């Protein structure tokens, strides 16, 4: 893993790690208790979850595992809209917070994000009684160290960043080997000295190289031109003796404006692979050859 000085985040008594384990799929399988235990006791003990991941099971399993975990585990979570009605006001943020902290068995969190606020406008979120003032109140009470915005698509992230209410941002699928549309997000965040999480460096799987994910990027079907570009990338990686997954991970890890890269982990095998991918050394010349491949065709996400 690149030897970066970990960023200091208010509410976190240790430096932020450059790699965060994504747990959106944790709890989808009945045997995931064991995976949660490995996540909190392994080498990469910094986890990203959310109130709605696997209908709450992701947080529940992490909470159960934390009871037996050694010290030094960091968990970030997110407030979600009401799953039945889509309501996402200040009251809902407080209920989401109570659910999350009770499942995780914690009283405070270092970073707490507003997650996918698609059912409300930015103005509604910012208004009195809205979701953002509730997050700000949690920060003022010292219950969360920092508040973040975690969403992808359109210009919503930029609009939230420009409110200057947030300390952190999580972007996903938009700063990878084949997509750079988060450039503006990174620029705005750097201007404000925000903590930046870059999630989904494998674009949800295709850049991990597994044939199972070969037809989708950012959870949408890819065009034949896009698939052909990924194929050229894979061939380039092969010529340099590295895997596509290693290149995809290190593309994000090497970006100084990204403070932590969030990778989705679905099994013990993937967790072990992630640790060894993080240790892969990418030959310097690879990045010049990557640039020489030219711009990728548009990815299927907005
Ligand atoms: N709005 C938000 O806040 C938001 C949105 C998106 C993501 N996130 C966070 O970011 C995390 C990552 O997102 P993501 O899981 O969608 O995308 P990702 O990290 O780009 O892709 C993860 C997928 O890549 C495959 N993979 C992982 N390691 C691999 C390896 N070593 N070799 C080959 N394939 C590998 C796995 O597929 P299989 O194991 O199935 O083969 C895994 O499910 C999420 O878990 C979540 O924590 C947050």
């Amino acid at each position: 893993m690149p030897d970066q000085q970990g960023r200091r985040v208010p509410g976190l008594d240790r430096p932020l790690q450059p790699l965060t384990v994504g747990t959106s799929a944790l709890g989808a399988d009945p045997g995931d208790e064991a995976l949660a235990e490995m996540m909190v006791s392994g080498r990469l003990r910094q986890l990203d979850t959310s109130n709605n991941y696997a209908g709450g099971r992701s947080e529940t399993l992490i909470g159960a595992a934390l009871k037996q975990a050694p010290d030094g585990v960091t968990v970030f979570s997110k407030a979600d809209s009401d799953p039945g009605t889509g309501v996402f006001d200040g009251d809902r943020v407080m209920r989401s917070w109570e659910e999350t902290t009770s499942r995780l068995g914690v009283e405070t969190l270092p970073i707490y994000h507003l997650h996918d606020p698609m059912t409300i406008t930015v103005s509604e979120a910012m208004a009195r009684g809205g979701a953002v003032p509730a997050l700000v109140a949690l920060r003022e009470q010292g219950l969360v160290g920092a508040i973040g915005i975690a969403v992808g698509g359109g210009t919503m992230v930029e609009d939230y960043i420009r409110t200057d209410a947030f300390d952190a941002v999580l972007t996903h699928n938009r700063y990878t080997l084949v997509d750079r549309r988060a450039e503006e997000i990174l620029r705005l965040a750097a201007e404000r000295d925000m903590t930046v999480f870059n999630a989904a460096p494998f674009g949800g799987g295709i850049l991990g190289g597994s044939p199972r994910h070969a037809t989708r990027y950012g959870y949408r079907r890819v065009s034949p031109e896009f698939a052909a570009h990924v194929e050229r990338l894979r061939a380039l990686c092969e010529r340099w003796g590295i895997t596509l997954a290693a290149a995809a991970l290190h593309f994000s890890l090497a970006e100084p404006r990204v403070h932590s890269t969030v990778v989705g982990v679905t099994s013990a095998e993937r967790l072990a692979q992630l640790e060894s991918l993080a240790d892969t050394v990418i030959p310097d010349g690879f990045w010049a050859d990557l640039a020489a491949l030219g711009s990728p065709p548009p990815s299927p996400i907005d």
Side-chain angles (χ1 to χ4, degrees):
M1 204 167 341
D3 188 20
Q4 285 167 349
Q5 200 73 346
R7 183 179 168 89
R8 286 284 173 183
V9 174
L12 186 56
D13 58 6
R14 62 192 79 99
L16 186 70
Q17 299 298 307
L19 247 186
T20 302
V21 174
T23 68
S24 51
L26 182 70
D29 283 343
D32 276 354
E33 282 85 355
L35 178 57
E37 284 163 23
M38 282 175 222
M39 285 172 168
V40 301
S41 59
R43 197 174 111 200
L44 308 168
R45 286 185 275 145
Q46 182 169 280
L47 273 47
D48 174 77
T49 185
S50 196
N51 181 291
N52 72 359
Y53 286 168
R57 283 223 347 125
S58 173
E59 288 181 336
T60 302
L61 294 188
I62 293 168
L66 281 177
K67 290 196 180 121
Q68 285 120 56
D71 288 341
V73 184
T74 302
V75 182
F76 308 119
S77 194
K78 315 186 190 81
D80 280 291
S81 62
D82 183 290
T85 62
V87 168
F88 212 168
D89 57 11
D91 287 346
R92 171 57 202 166
V93 167
M94 292 317 296
R95 275 197 303 282
S96 195
W97 169 255
E98 281 153 21
E99 288 166 7
T100 288
T101 47
S102 133
R103 289 174 192 148
L104 291 173
V106 300
E107 285 172 8
T108 61
L109 283 177
I111 301 180
Y112 190 50
H113 301 277
L114 182 68
H115 186 214
D116 289 350
M118 267 61 126
T119 54
I120 48 170
T121 63
V122 178
S123 308
E124 286 166 341
M126 298 301 294
R128 200 165 164 196
V132 176
L135 288 171
V136 171
L138 287 169
R139 186 179 57 192
E140 280 171 1
Q141 289 160 36
L143 295 170
V144 306
I147 59 175
I149 173 68
V151 65
T155 56
M156 198 187 259
V157 195
E158 287 96 319
D159 294 342
Y160 273 106
I161 291 176
R162 286 196 183 95
T163 66
D164 288 326
F166 294 89
D167 314 295
V169 58
L170 182 151
T171 175
H172 63 86
N173 290 292
R174 289 164 179 82
Y175 197 76
T176 70
L177 282 177
V178 290
D179 197 322
R180 310 285 153 80
R181 72 193 65 198
E183 266 299 336
E184 178 66 359
I185 295 168
L186 297 184
R187 192 186 68 76
L188 291 171
E191 256 176 27
R192 290 161 174 79
D193 194 27
M194 294 169 77
T195 299
V196 176
F197 291 89
N198 186 37
F202 300 145
I206 186 170
L207 299 176
S210 143
R212 211 157 64 77
H213 298 295
T215 59
R216 297 178 83 77
Y217 179 88
Y219 326 118
R220 302 213 182 134
R221 183 163 279 279
V222 300
S223 66
E225 297 75 30
F226 189 85
H229 185 84
V230 173
E231 220 20 71
R232 284 195 292 278
L233 257 177
R234 186 208 300 277
L236 176 68
C237 292
E238 241 173 62
R239 284 203 295 281
W240 279 97
I242 56 174
T243 62
L244 181 58
L249 178 64
H250 283 270
F251 174 78
S252 179
L253 289 175
E255 171 53 55
R257 294 168 299 173
V258 169
H259 301 111
S260 193
T261 299
V262 191
V263 179
V265 167
T266 55
S267 65
E269 188 193 359
R270 290 286 188 230
L271 190 60
Q273 283 170 346
L274 182 58
E275 290 177 3
S276 81
L277 282 179
D279 291 334
T280 305
V281 175
I282 308 292
D284 283 343
F286 171 79
W287 302 114
D289 275 8
L290 173 72
L293 269 190
S295 299
S299 81
I301 54 176
D302 61 7

